[in-house]
Amino acid sequence: MNKKILLGLFAVAALALNSAAFAGAKTYQVTGPVVDVTDKMITVMKGNDKWEIDRDSATKVPGDVKVGDKVTINYTMTAKDVEVKTEKAAKGEKADASPAASPKKK
């Protein structure tokens, strides 16, 4: 095989793998019978667990979903908010004291 063609195929494969790695959040799926459905949520039974999946106007649903229908839902996990917790202060230091606010020793 021509070396230029082989090198070109390798470059295309490397770019494809690289773009897949940065494509965004991982997609998951759940399959099971629908036990409840509203405009904002679909509840699916998977084994003994109920999976409540939110939906909005951007959710693609071909046709009507009814209780009892077997569905497969593809979804991603999206953070609603993030709370950052700082590490515990070292012994003897106040957690809210900044170095600039500490008295200086002479």
Side-chain angles (χ1 to χ4, degrees):
M1 188 178 242
N2 189 344
K3 287 184 181 182
K4 288 183 181 180
I5 294 173
L6 187 59
L7 185 60
L9 289 173
F10 178 74
V12 168
L15 285 173
L17 290 174
N18 190 27
S19 64
F22 297 104
K26 185 175 177 179
T27 300
Y28 302 91
Q29 67 176 223
V30 61
T31 300
V34 174
V35 294
D36 190 22
V37 62
T38 68
D39 291 341
K40 305 225 182 258
M41 180 182 62
I42 299 175
T43 305
V44 174
M45 197 71 168
K46 180 172 180 165
N48 293 328
D49 298 325
K50 288 184 181 179
W51 289 55
E52 295 179 349
I53 309 291
D54 287 341
R55 68 181 191 160
D56 58 20
S57 61
T59 305
K60 296 175 187 170
V61 182
D64 292 330
V65 177
K66 298 179 289 299
V67 172
D69 289 346
K70 183 175 180 180
V71 297
T72 297
I73 300 174
N74 295 301
Y75 64 95
T76 58
M77 293 187 197
T78 304
K80 296 292 182 185
D81 59 65
V82 177
E83 179 180 340
V84 178
K85 299 187 180 216
T86 59
E87 292 184 36
K88 291 183 178 179
K91 282 188 174 181
E93 292 182 17
K94 290 185 177 180
D96 60 350
S98 68
S102 300
K104 296 184 180 183
K105 295 181 181 179
K106 292 187 180 184

